[in-house]
Amino acid sequence: MQPVRCQAIQVPANLATEVTIRRRPPEGIGSQACGPVDFQVPLSAANKPANILEEIVWWKAQEIESFKERQPMLRLQMLMKLAPPPRDFIGALRASQQRTSRPGLIAEVKKASPSKGVIKENFDPVEIAKAYEAGGAACLSVLTDRKYFQGSFDYLTAIRQAGVACPLLCKEFIVEAYQLFKARAAGADAVLLIAAVLPNKDLELLIKCAGRVGLQCLIEVHTVPELERVLQLDLEGCMLGINNRDLQTFKVDLNNNKVIMDSAPGQQVKERGIMMAGESGIFTPEDVAFVQGAGCGAILVGESLVKQDDITAAVEMLLA
């Protein structure tokens, strides 16, 4: 019998350099169950995640498989038919901006984060959502990652069923289309797509899939090159966001907003009238004014609001 030879899959060079986050461990998983034996594979230091975002993305591959076992695609498709119709996430931000002359606020329902641990001890997602809405938030972002943010897709459903009118963004680390179906079935109106994780080929596919199930997209960039390549896509049904958090150090620099928006791709965003959100590092009305002056029509704020005792008052003060 001739030995079986496996040809290595060649990743196109443009895809390998297009993203900064590796989708999978390059040498595979170090521990694999084999009957009653836990088979261990020695791995090099290169097989460790370079940062927390890469660690989260690697975990998603395993998490999605467990989701699929509990909720196969046919089950999700049935739940999608029962979900309330999607609402206009981007339209709500534009309406708020026109009404108040301030950036539309996407307020984040977040219990914890990898860097800060638990942010809100007495965490009630529905009460927090209602407080955000009462304070003047245009939209809500709901963390659904359980392992690193103590979130849940159930929070989306609970907030939607509670009658909160603000459109909802599913804040998930999306790497495949299955998660889009899961978000829509849970009641989401929009989803987050991260350019550092997804090359344009994947972004193009996910944007199309999202549109077919009624979801809008917030595409997040961290650098000028990321924005430049994202602008090559058909962005119908999409808005953009600038995350001011460095992926390597996780330090936040609000000036990143201005640097990106002052660049040639940033000027193109303004000329094309694309809604842009400033994300991370926004704590005060002065921060809001700075981001607005840079050219952002929306802001995404989480930690500085959710940890307050009076969330409604905190939202009103931020937007004052």
Side-chain angles (χ1 to χ4, degrees):
M1 180 182 293
Q2 294 295 322
V4 177
R5 299 183 182 276
C6 296
Q7 184 175 1
I9 298 174
Q10 298 297 319
V11 179
N14 64 318
L15 293 188
T17 58
E18 206 172 344
V19 297
T20 56
I21 300 300
R22 295 173 296 176
R23 190 75 63 84
R24 299 281 192 278
E27 299 171 26
I29 300 172
S31 177
Q32 181 68 44
C34 185
V37 179
D38 189 24
F39 185 68
Q40 301 290 327
V41 181
L43 301 172
S44 72
N47 212 60
K48 295 181 179 179
N51 51 54
I52 187 62
L53 180 54
E54 195 163 85
E55 182 180 336
I56 293 169
V57 169
W58 288 6
W59 165 249
K60 286 297 160 185
Q62 302 175 56
E63 185 182 58
I64 290 170
E65 290 307 310
S66 66
F67 280 150
K68 288 179 177 178
E69 289 179 5
R70 297 195 301 270
Q71 287 187 319
M73 185 64 79
L74 287 176
R75 170 69 175 165
L76 284 185
Q77 290 175 329
M78 183 184 72
L79 292 174
M80 282 172 53
K81 294 178 181 178
L82 300 175
R87 299 164 296 191
D88 187 354
F89 186 88
I90 300 171
L93 292 171
R94 291 194 186 280
S96 177
Q97 182 187 23
Q98 293 170 359
R99 185 175 64 253
T100 66
S101 299
R102 297 283 189 274
L105 171 63
I106 309 168
E108 196 150 78
V109 180
K110 177 167 68 172
K111 181 178 181 179
S113 75
S115 58
K116 297 296 179 66
V118 175
I119 300 168
K120 188 77 169 179
E121 289 286 354
N122 299 319
F123 183 79
D124 184 327
V126 172
E127 290 306 311
I128 292 169
K130 289 180 176 179
Y132 279 149
E133 186 170 53
C139 296
L140 304 181
S141 167
V142 182
L143 262 297
T144 55
D145 176 81
R146 183 178 296 278
K147 182 174 182 179
Y148 295 91
F149 291 86
Q150 298 188 35
S152 173
F153 283 90
D154 292 339
Y155 294 162
L156 276 169
T157 303
I159 292 169
R160 190 71 191 264
Q161 290 179 347
V164 174
C166 290
L168 305 178
L169 171 77
C170 175
K171 187 77 173 286
E172 174 63 29
F173 299 87
I174 290 176
V175 292
E176 66 170 82
Y178 174 89
Q179 294 161 290
L180 302 178
F181 286 83
K182 190 168 179 62
R184 180 79 275 275
D189 305 292
V191 290
L192 174 72
L193 301 176
I194 303 175
V197 175
L198 302 165
N200 273 18
K201 183 177 180 181
D202 288 357
L203 282 172
E204 182 179 24
L205 172 64
L206 291 171
I207 290 169
K208 288 180 179 178
C209 289
R212 287 175 182 172
V213 298
L215 291 167
Q216 294 176 329
C217 298
L218 167 56
I219 304 175
E220 181 179 281
V221 302
H222 299 79
T223 64
V224 172
E226 284 181 1
L227 177 58
E228 186 174 25
R229 72 170 169 88
V230 164
L231 288 172
Q232 299 170 13
L233 298 166
D234 180 357
L235 296 177
E236 183 179 357
C238 300
M239 63 177 289
L240 305 177
I242 297 172
N243 194 328
N244 298 307
R245 190 180 302 276
D246 186 288
L247 292 181
Q248 303 303 320
T249 66
F250 261 55
K251 291 182 179 179
V252 176
D253 181 6
L254 195 60
N255 194 56
N256 189 49
N257 247 122
K258 181 171 173 56
V259 170
I260 292 179
M261 290 304 288
D262 284 350
S263 68
Q267 294 301 313
Q268 187 183 151
V269 169
K270 298 174 186 177
E271 292 166 4
R272 291 170 58 177
I274 300 170
M275 173 63 74
M276 176 67 83
E279 307 171 25
S280 299
I282 299 170
F283 295 92
T284 68
E286 291 74 22
D287 294 336
V288 175
F290 179 83
V291 171
Q292 183 177 20
C296 293
I299 52 174
L300 192 153
V301 185
E303 179 189 338
S304 65
L305 295 175
V306 77
K307 68 182 182 181
Q308 302 300 323
D309 293 330
D310 189 337
I311 291 177
T312 296
V315 172
E316 292 173 343
M317 184 175 296
L318 182 69
L319 298 177

